[in-house]
Amino acid sequence: MTAETTPPIATREHTVEGFVREFLRELNFGQGVDLTRASVNDKYLAMARTVRHYLMTRWLSTLRSQAKLQAKSVAYLSAEFLLGRQLDNALLASGLEDIVKEGLASLGIDLEELRQAEIEPGLGNGGLGRLAACFIDSLATMNVPSIGYGIRYEYGIFKQTFVDGWQVEKPDDWLRLGSPWEFPHPEAAVKVGFGGHVEQYQDDDGVVKRRWVPGWSVLGVPYNYMVPGYDAGRVNTLRLWSARATRAFDLEIFNSGDYAEAVRAQTFAENISKVLYPEDSTPQGKELRLQQQYFFVACSIKDFVDQVLPADFDLHKLPDRIVFQLNDTHPVIAVPELMRVLVDEKGWEWDEAWAVTKQCFAYTCHTLLPEALEVWPVELLGRLLPRHLEIIYRINDEFLAELRVAYPNDELRVRRMSIIAEYPVRAVRMAYLATVAGTKVNGVAELHSQLLRDKVLDDFAAYWPDKFTNVTNGVTPRRFVKLSNPGLSGLITEAIGDGWVTDLDQLKGLEPLADDAEFRRRFREIKYANKQRLAGVLAERDNIVVNPDTLFDVMVKRLHEYKRQTLKLLHIVSLYEKITTGELAIGDVTPRTFAFGAKAAPGYVMAKQIIGLINAVGRTINDDPALEGRLRVAFPANYNVTLAETLIPAADLSEQISLAGKEASGTGNMKFMLNGALTIGTDDGANVEIRQLVGDENFFLFGLTEPQVAEVVERGYHPSAYYETNLDLRNALDLIASGAFSGGDRAVFEPIVSNLLNEDRFLALADFQAYVDAQARVDAAYADTDDWTRRAVLNVARGGFFSSDRSMRDYIERIWHTYPVAPEA
Ligand SMILES: [N-]=[N+]=N[C@]1([C@H](N)O)O[C@H](CO)[C@@H](O)[C@H](O)[C@H]1O
């Protein structure tokens, strides 16, 4: 096939007529229904496929140019991609919004109804998964060649429901109505082995070699998803792997009547990509989890080496062609896997393979919690992946030998840095393996990266200072401003043009308008409209009533003790206690709506308790006529990307109150800032950079700093001392303990109260007074509505740094050294 004979890529007419024709073709020929009898889902699926057609030209030309150019690209390996709904983003990227709205209207179809029909792919837990989705959006928009590799879970993050205020999980059957955004390629399935043993053999030259003989295997079937750049030519690819049995059905066993046994292999295999592990920041050392990690990593490396690279590609040049970015420790098994491929399958010498492997990976750490750093017992890893354990041992032996040269009389240090931990069980420390093999190690906010250097990986930072860097997280302005806040987007574009959508630093142009009364008035109007929109959604979705004429105080993030939803609760309960005892006149209370969104990992008992308490306090407050509706608690169930897109633009106050030194970065904090909410927060994660950029006067800072926390803990922390010396705190805790929110039953929430009084690992009691004082400052500031708006405008104007495009520029400059490639004309 020569250039002359390469058939042109089909194109589509960007006209209302052209779209309507495409849509009806898809409905009739794709869905097999005509308009009169089409269901909403039929119309949605036809719609999605039609929009795909408009993006296809760019996708195919991207693939074609990349196959020709073989430009250096990024492979983003992540166990999670929290994509959110795809339709709106595809319409935005294809510039079809207006054409589609008009075309559908001409057919009597309401675009909004089709939007609501889309089921969000919840293939992630929280920040880490959403970050991956923002990053691949930015890479495509910036024309950087990249491919996302992950798992196509059949069931994503569980659907959260509340039964009497308690979290009850339901399976997230997101594929039940079809999945129009994916392209399955069973013909490109990859075989992945597990178990078995390693054998020694002599190769043709009589050289003794080792090879893995897996005990069983599964097939990995790739599903491709478009990653369309905004206003750019490039459409990158996200490849998610789904597990299948190599032999789906055993007819012989079936004929013997043992039907269950006949399909056991299939069930067993499919389990690997069946469901996402619902833990955020607290990994489960389950065997299936390790199977999932190795499965997608092995598929991805084989796919890249055998399918993406030209057959004659010299793998010694691999580092010039690809960088595998490890999104946390979940894909780190990729390091021994590449070594196995190069040594065992390609027949390379160990040193030859290691020289290449250690130039191909970079590692992003997303946490500071020691319990979140994955370690795999050698017993389990050796049983599931015997050859990989061998390879890890050799990598470690050579590393320790190197250390002993560098630190001749410091065996303790050498032991401390060993990839293999000796106790409590002999295990592989995945973060250490990633650090040894990676060209770069980065944290996700300045403070986090500093704490990685000073505390978590300090020995490694001392040994390899240049290996450690920082890239502060970011969020995509396409989804989290342009799409989710059309009112504000319109106002911004009117004021400074629409360049900000791909160059968020241009928001600085809004700074002078903070002093423009008319601009402030319109800004406030839009915020109010967003609050009304949210009120409408919550009423319909959750039967929750909220009043837009109140301060929307929003805390949405996974439920975790270090994020301190309990501290927010203590503020609310203390307010309520003072009102019910008459210490505070209801008239003096700033009308507030406390909005929560939070899923707890199903096995995280304390987190589920706290959810129960939030709903119990909410019920009591919402049903108490004495409050005259001035305080309300709104806790919609099943917080996800779609709800975030309505909640965040409606917020006045963003709660970022984690204990300093615990939240690696946070990304919700950035989304709130860019949507004109003011932050109340500690100096933790990216809050520090938000405060530095927006200015102290536009940020409600409180609480112990990280060094102060370390000191308190060092000295010995006695939470009950704060209970004894702070009357407001005592009254609030006593009210919870009294059973006031549980029908007088003191036992229900006793575990929370006693934990706070006796342990309080995240110092909620120590920060209580400072937090309450900061909330009083919020009340005072909010009383001056116009000045509040001025500060809100400044938050937007000074938020440009938090674009994931900027994060990508930092990764490119500091870690990847890949460059944008203009798509072929
Ligand atoms: N896993 N993990 N880590 C997190 C989040 N929980 O997903 O990654 C996010 C993305 O880097 C961070 O913003 C957040 O602070 C951190 O806790």
Side-chain angles (χ1 to χ4, degrees), residues 368 444-449 451 472 658-666 669-670 682-692 706 802:
L368 286 161
V444 289
E446 289 289 357
L447 174 63
H448 176 227
S449 299
L451 292 171
T472 297
S658 53
L659 178 63
K662 299 302 176 192
E663 187 71 88
S665 163
N669 46 7
M670 300 164 183
T682 51
D683 253 357
D684 194 19
N687 293 357
V688 177
E689 290 152 85
I690 289 176
R691 182 172 63 76
Q692 286 163 348
E706 191 276 331
F802 298 106

Side-chain angles (χ1 to χ4, degrees), residues 671-745:
K671 296 161 189 168
F672 280 105
M673 178 188 194
L674 287 166
N675 282 279
L678 275 63
T679 303
I680 183 166
T682 51
D683 253 357
D684 194 19
N687 293 357
V688 177
E689 290 152 85
I690 289 176
R691 182 172 63 76
Q692 286 163 348
L693 283 164
V694 79
D696 292 1
E697 68 286 1
N698 303 308
F699 186 104
F700 300 99
L701 176 68
F702 77 94
L704 298 165
T705 60
E706 191 276 331
Q708 290 169 333
V709 169
E711 213 185 295
V712 169
V713 172
E714 178 72 26
R715 237 192 4 247
Y717 172 56
H718 306 289
S720 54
Y722 293 86
Y723 170 85
E724 272 128 30
T725 54
N726 185 313
L727 182 57
D728 292 346
L729 177 57
R730 186 161 66 238
N731 290 341
L733 284 166
D734 287 353
L735 192 59
I736 298 170
S738 71
F741 303 109
S742 45
D745 180 343

Side-chain angles (χ1 to χ4, degrees), residues 129 148 250 326 387 406 414 503 521 667 708 710-711 724 741 758:
D250 190 313
L326 304 170
R387 180 61 179 140
V414 172
D503 177 12
R521 186 192 64 72
T667 44
Q708 290 169 333
E711 213 185 295
E724 272 128 30
F741 303 109
N758 304 311

